[in-house]
Each structure stands twice: as C-alpha cells, then as structure tokens.
Amino acid sequence: MLHSMHMLIRAFLDAIIPAAAAHEKWFVSENPAAILPPQFVPGSLPFDIASGAVIVVCVAGFLFDKAFEHSAFYARTEKILRPWRDLAPGILAVSTAVLLLWSAWKGVLLADNYPLPAGTAGTLLRIAETAVGGMFLVGFGTATAAVGLGLLYASVITLFGLPEATEYLYLAAIAVFLMFFARGRYSLDWFYGKPVISTPEGRKKAYLVMRILTGFGFLALALLKWRQPGMHLALMDEYDEWNPYVIAQWFGAAFSRETYVLILAAVETTVAVWVIGGFLTRAAALFLMPVFIGSIFFLGPMELVGHLPILGILVVLFVYGDTYHKHAVETPPPQPGAARI
C-alpha cells in the first residue's frame, strides 16, 4: 500500500514538472542529469519527513487561521488595511506595466525565455505588449488592458505550449484581477470619470481566482525541486560563491546542499498551499516578499523586473487577506472623477 502511494506521488510529480522547469533554465546553461539524490526518492526517510512536515504544518496553519479569524486582532487588522485596497490594484498594474514594457523593448513575450517570433506576428505582439503596458502604467482603460494581458498569456500558450506556460499563471491571475478592480484615484480612468462596472460579488470572485492561480504557479515552482532538484543544484553551482546556502553555512549550518534544496521544496510547497487554500495568506505574502526581493542580490538586479508583478500580487494578497472572497467588508471603489484637480 505504502509503495503504491509512493509510486503515485512520483507519477504525479513527473507529470507536472515541465510546467516549472523554465524559470531555472534562465540561469542554468545545461540541463543537469535527472538523477535523484537519495533524499528526494519517495519512500526515503528524508522525503517522508519533509512531505509529512508539509502536511502537519498546513493542517495546523488551517486550524490556527480559522481561530484567528474570530479574534479581535484580526478585526483590527482588517480595519487598518481596508483603506489600502484602493491603492493595491494600482501597485499591481504599474508593476506589471514595467515587465511588459521591458519585455517589448527586449523583444521577448512576457519572459526572457520566450523570444518574440520573427515577422509580422512578432511585431504585432511587441506592439500589443507596449500598448497594454502603457495603459497599465497610466491607468487608462485598465479593464481593456487586462483583457489584452490575458490574450498575451494565451499567445505564450499557443507559441510555446501549456506545460512551461503554467509557470506564468500569475500573469493570467493579474489579468483576471484587473478586469474587475478599479485603479483608484491615481489613474486616468478615475480622472476622466470612467465608471466602475464590476459588482462587489464579481470583484470577490475575481480575487478568489487570482489567489488560486497564483498559488498554483508557486506550487509548480516548488514541485520542480521535489522531482528535479538537480536544476536548483546546478543553479547553486553557477553562483557557488554567493547564494543562500553559502550564507547559511556562515551561520553554522551543517546540512548538505541536497538537504537544503529539500527544505526549500517543503517550505515553498507549504506556502503555496496556504495561498491556494486561502489561509495564512498574509503570512505567506510577508514571507515571500523578502524572498523575491532578496533574489536580486544573488541573480542580479534585472531579476527584480521579472519579479515585480509577483511582488504586486503579494501586496494585493497582504491587503485583501484570506476572507475577502467570502465575508470581508467590501470597500466601495472611489467614484471616478469625484475630485478632479
């Protein structure tokens, strides 16, 4: 019975791994040999301890979060963060705009590993990236630009296939969110009085979809480490003098590189489940923000451009929290053009 369960786990991981391999291929020149270290073989003691820890922490986190929802501190937190919901969509839109404009300038489609095709199709896609990025940047026709972002993501699937495009589910998540959420006072939509056409229920459902899609994108990256740890180990080899594992050794960490990657896999899986399940969402956002910002110190400042939309999503997750889609008090969007200067 236990052996059959381990085989099912292995088959599941093998089926979804291609969805996440693209990201680390940015930094690894060759695909490393797909030989699993002993710690990552389902049925080994380290693997079972790590996967069991994920289950225990997720169950404990779920129970803690349910109790926390009824506490006075949770109510105070909601009250403090509610006014910031007016700013969060704009932060997300601008951070996404930077990625789109940068990608158009470099001649890639949403990410460095997706070069624009030659000819008319590539030119049209570059124009579309520029237009959508510009609209997000100034807040003009945000809902229309969100549809455009969704079509750009669909173009990635068409040109490069669904498995690898799954890593960029967060872009589809952004598109869904910004179709429904107004940019607020700091946008041309508001200045020119463009009406907010979405309903409170529509916005709550859009937030739910965004959160789940984002969580599955994080999960794809985490599961890559479970089944193909050699990719991350090769990345560490490329930056062998300066990476988080080296820093951990400075503070006396005695575990192997393989164990370090296994710990990363377990932690990333846990956080992804929090986001997908809608519990401890703010804790997940707070945990991931320094991780994505800190990566620029190891992989270079241009890594920040690719991570800006993810950081924008984390701002939204922190501000809106776990229960916005269920019973959080709706914050009415500001009336467009109500105080033009």
Side-chain angles (χ1 to χ4, degrees):
M1 178 68 179
L2 189 60
H3 176 72
S4 298
M5 184 178 69
H6 288 144
M7 292 299 293
L8 286 173
I9 292 172
R10 183 177 301 185
F12 170 73
L13 293 176
D14 285 343
I16 63 173
I17 284 311
H23 183 77
E24 290 180 354
K25 288 178 183 176
W26 293 7
F27 307 102
V28 178
S29 57
E30 295 183 3
N31 192 18
I35 300 175
L36 280 178
Q39 296 93 325
F40 292 86
V41 177
S44 67
L45 182 61
F47 183 96
D48 288 349
I49 290 175
S51 55
V54 171
I55 295 172
V56 170
V57 172
C58 286
V59 171
F62 176 80
L63 296 175
F64 171 83
D65 192 72
K66 290 303 173 187
F68 179 66
E69 283 181 19
H70 302 288
S71 68
F73 183 74
Y74 176 82
R76 288 197 298 269
T77 303
E78 282 286 298
K79 184 177 180 180
I80 292 171
L81 291 177
R82 198 172 299 145
W84 291 92
R85 291 177 184 165
D86 180 26
L87 295 176
I91 293 172
L92 178 57
V94 171
S95 63
T96 305
V98 173
L99 172 66
L100 290 169
L101 295 173
W102 174 259
S103 297
W105 180 74
K106 289 191 70 178
V108 298
L109 182 59
L110 302 180
D112 282 358
N113 51 317
Y114 296 144
L116 286 169
T120 303
T123 300
L124 291 176
L125 286 171
R126 177 176 284 190
I127 292 173
E129 277 188 311
T130 304
V132 172
M135 293 168 73
F136 277 153
L137 190 64
V138 300
F140 180 74
T142 301
T144 302
V147 174
L149 177 60
L151 293 175
L152 286 170
Y153 179 72
S155 300
V156 171
I157 296 175
T158 301
L159 293 172
F160 300 99
L162 187 59
E164 284 199 3
T166 305
E167 184 196 352
Y168 301 98
L169 266 176
Y170 67 87
L171 293 171
I174 293 170
V176 171
F177 182 82
L178 292 178
M179 285 181 200
F180 288 84
F181 282 79
R183 277 286 304 273
R185 295 178 177 84
Y186 306 102
S187 67
L188 290 182
D189 284 342
W190 177 84
F191 184 82
Y192 285 109
K194 186 176 178 61
V196 178
I197 60 175
S198 62
T199 64
E201 284 305 310
R203 290 190 288 275
K204 290 180 181 182
K205 290 177 182 177
Y207 175 72
L208 174 63
V209 171
M210 184 211 72
R211 199 198 70 223
I212 291 175
L213 289 178
T214 300
F216 274 110
F218 291 156
L219 185 62
L221 291 173
L223 293 179
L224 171 65
K225 294 181 177 63
W226 287 98
R227 195 56 185 157
Q228 287 189 8
M231 291 291 294
H232 196 80
L233 291 169
L235 175 64
M236 293 169 63
D237 289 336
E238 292 281 339
Y239 300 88
D240 58 342
E241 295 182 358
W242 176 241
N243 62 57
Y245 177 69
V246 171
I247 295 176
Q249 288 184 308
W250 294 348
F251 291 92
F255 46 79
S256 67
R257 299 192 321 151
E258 290 77 12
T259 300
Y260 164 75
V261 177
L262 183 63
I263 293 171
L264 279 184
V267 171
E268 290 178 3
T269 303
T270 301
V271 174
V273 172
W274 289 356
V275 175
I276 294 169
F279 57 94
L280 297 180
T281 305
R282 286 181 173 136
L286 286 177
F287 173 80
L288 290 173
M289 282 180 187
V291 172
F292 282 106
I293 293 173
S295 66
I296 68 175
F297 296 105
F298 307 105
L299 301 176
M302 294 319 304
E303 175 80 349
L304 181 61
V305 176
H307 285 166
L308 276 177
I310 299 176
L311 290 171
I313 288 177
L314 295 178
V315 170
V316 171
L317 292 176
F318 179 75
V319 171
Y320 283 79
D322 303 324
T323 59
Y324 177 82
H325 69 283
K326 293 188 292 186
H327 54 72
V329 177
E330 164 72 5
T331 302
Q335 293 303 308
R340 296 178 189 156
I341 298 176

mmCIF file of all heavy atoms in Angstrom, residues 116-129 159:
data_model
loop_
_atom_site.group_PDB
_atom_site.id
_atom_site.type_symbol
_atom_site.label_atom_id
_atom_site.label_comp_id
_atom_site.label_asym_id
_atom_site.label_seq_id
_atom_site.Cartn_x
_atom_site.Cartn_y
_atom_site.Cartn_z
ATOM 1 N N LEU A 116 10.130 36.741 -29.032
ATOM 2 C CA LEU A 116 9.056 37.044 -29.978
ATOM 3 C C LEU A 116 9.355 36.394 -31.325
ATOM 4 O O LEU A 116 10.505 36.352 -31.762
ATOM 5 C CB LEU A 116 8.916 38.555 -30.157
ATOM 6 C CG LEU A 116 8.272 39.326 -28.995
ATOM 7 C CD1 LEU A 116 8.445 40.821 -29.200
ATOM 8 C CD2 LEU A 116 6.800 38.975 -28.846
ATOM 9 N N PRO A 117 8.339 35.873 -31.991
ATOM 10 C CA PRO A 117 8.572 35.263 -33.308
ATOM 11 C C PRO A 117 8.965 36.319 -34.334
ATOM 12 O O PRO A 117 8.675 37.512 -34.177
ATOM 13 C CB PRO A 117 7.220 34.627 -33.647
ATOM 14 C CG PRO A 117 6.223 35.397 -32.848
ATOM 15 C CD PRO A 117 6.924 35.798 -31.588
ATOM 16 N N ALA A 118 9.625 35.889 -35.385
ATOM 17 C CA ALA A 118 10.023 36.817 -36.443
ATOM 18 C C ALA A 118 8.818 37.195 -37.290
ATOM 19 O O ALA A 118 7.786 36.517 -37.292
ATOM 20 C CB ALA A 118 11.098 36.168 -37.315
ATOM 21 N N GLY A 119 8.957 38.307 -37.989
ATOM 22 C CA GLY A 119 7.928 38.693 -38.940
ATOM 23 C C GLY A 119 6.808 39.504 -38.331
ATOM 24 O O GLY A 119 6.921 40.086 -37.240
ATOM 25 N N THR A 120 5.680 39.516 -39.033
ATOM 26 C CA THR A 120 4.540 40.352 -38.656
ATOM 27 C C THR A 120 3.978 39.967 -37.291
ATOM 28 O O THR A 120 3.616 40.840 -36.491
ATOM 29 C CB THR A 120 3.437 40.243 -39.716
ATOM 30 O OG1 THR A 120 3.968 40.617 -40.989
ATOM 31 C CG2 THR A 120 2.268 41.150 -39.372
ATOM 32 N N ALA A 121 3.913 38.670 -37.024
ATOM 33 C CA ALA A 121 3.354 38.224 -35.746
ATOM 34 C C ALA A 121 4.147 38.780 -34.569
ATOM 35 O O ALA A 121 3.571 39.267 -33.585
ATOM 36 C CB ALA A 121 3.330 36.700 -35.692
ATOM 37 N N GLY A 122 5.479 38.733 -34.659
ATOM 38 C CA GLY A 122 6.307 39.265 -33.595
ATOM 39 C C GLY A 122 6.130 40.763 -33.429
ATOM 40 O O GLY A 122 6.083 41.279 -32.307
ATOM 41 N N THR A 123 6.025 41.473 -34.554
ATOM 42 C CA THR A 123 5.832 42.922 -34.491
ATOM 43 C C THR A 123 4.514 43.267 -33.817
ATOM 44 O O THR A 123 4.438 44.169 -32.969
ATOM 45 C CB THR A 123 5.875 43.512 -35.910
ATOM 46 O OG1 THR A 123 7.135 43.222 -36.505
ATOM 47 C CG2 THR A 123 5.660 45.019 -35.863
ATOM 48 N N LEU A 124 3.450 42.553 -34.177
ATOM 49 C CA LEU A 124 2.134 42.825 -33.588
ATOM 50 C C LEU A 124 2.131 42.518 -32.091
ATOM 51 O O LEU A 124 1.538 43.265 -31.299
ATOM 52 C CB LEU A 124 1.071 41.995 -34.306
ATOM 53 C CG LEU A 124 0.772 42.402 -35.757
ATOM 54 C CD1 LEU A 124 -0.222 41.432 -36.392
ATOM 55 C CD2 LEU A 124 0.237 43.832 -35.815
ATOM 56 N N LEU A 125 2.802 41.437 -31.707
ATOM 57 C CA LEU A 125 2.853 41.105 -30.289
ATOM 58 C C LEU A 125 3.655 42.146 -29.509
ATOM 59 O O LEU A 125 3.298 42.500 -28.383
ATOM 60 C CB LEU A 125 3.464 39.715 -30.101
ATOM 61 C CG LEU A 125 2.562 38.535 -30.476
ATOM 62 C CD1 LEU A 125 3.351 37.231 -30.469
ATOM 63 C CD2 LEU A 125 1.375 38.438 -29.524
ATOM 64 N N ARG A 126 4.717 42.644 -30.102
ATOM 65 C CA ARG A 126 5.507 43.685 -29.432
ATOM 66 C C ARG A 126 4.680 44.960 -29.273
ATOM 67 O O ARG A 126 4.714 45.609 -28.215
ATOM 68 C CB ARG A 126 6.785 43.978 -30.221
ATOM 69 C CG ARG A 126 7.610 45.097 -29.630
ATOM 70 C CD ARG A 126 8.913 45.288 -30.374
ATOM 71 N NE ARG A 126 9.893 44.264 -30.040
ATOM 72 C CZ ARG A 126 11.167 44.316 -30.415
ATOM 73 N NH1 ARG A 126 11.602 45.327 -31.151
ATOM 74 N NH2 ARG A 126 12.001 43.361 -30.082
ATOM 75 N N ILE A 127 3.937 45.319 -30.298
ATOM 76 C CA ILE A 127 3.058 46.494 -30.206
ATOM 77 C C ILE A 127 2.014 46.285 -29.119
ATOM 78 O O ILE A 127 1.710 47.198 -28.335
ATOM 79 C CB ILE A 127 2.390 46.770 -31.573
ATOM 80 C CG1 ILE A 127 3.437 47.222 -32.586
ATOM 81 C CG2 ILE A 127 1.285 47.820 -31.433
ATOM 82 C CD1 ILE A 127 2.899 47.342 -34.002
ATOM 83 N N ALA A 128 1.450 45.073 -29.059
ATOM 84 C CA ALA A 128 0.435 44.779 -28.050
ATOM 85 C C ALA A 128 1.021 44.871 -26.646
ATOM 86 O O ALA A 128 0.396 45.437 -25.737
ATOM 87 C CB ALA A 128 -0.152 43.390 -28.290
ATOM 88 N N GLU A 129 2.223 44.331 -26.451
ATOM 89 C CA GLU A 129 2.872 44.430 -25.141
ATOM 90 C C GLU A 129 3.072 45.891 -24.738
ATOM 91 O O GLU A 129 2.809 46.277 -23.597
ATOM 92 C CB GLU A 129 4.226 43.725 -25.163
ATOM 93 C CG GLU A 129 4.177 42.240 -24.949
ATOM 94 C CD GLU A 129 5.554 41.647 -24.779
ATOM 95 O OE1 GLU A 129 6.445 41.941 -25.593
ATOM 96 O OE2 GLU A 129 5.745 40.870 -23.818
ATOM 97 N N LEU A 159 2.235 29.602 -28.629
ATOM 98 C CA LEU A 159 3.551 29.545 -29.259
ATOM 99 C C LEU A 159 4.504 28.566 -28.580
ATOM 100 O O LEU A 159 5.347 27.960 -29.241
ATOM 101 C CB LEU A 159 4.177 30.944 -29.270
ATOM 102 C CG LEU A 159 3.481 31.989 -30.156
ATOM 103 C CD1 LEU A 159 4.085 33.372 -29.919
ATOM 104 C CD2 LEU A 159 3.619 31.609 -31.622
#
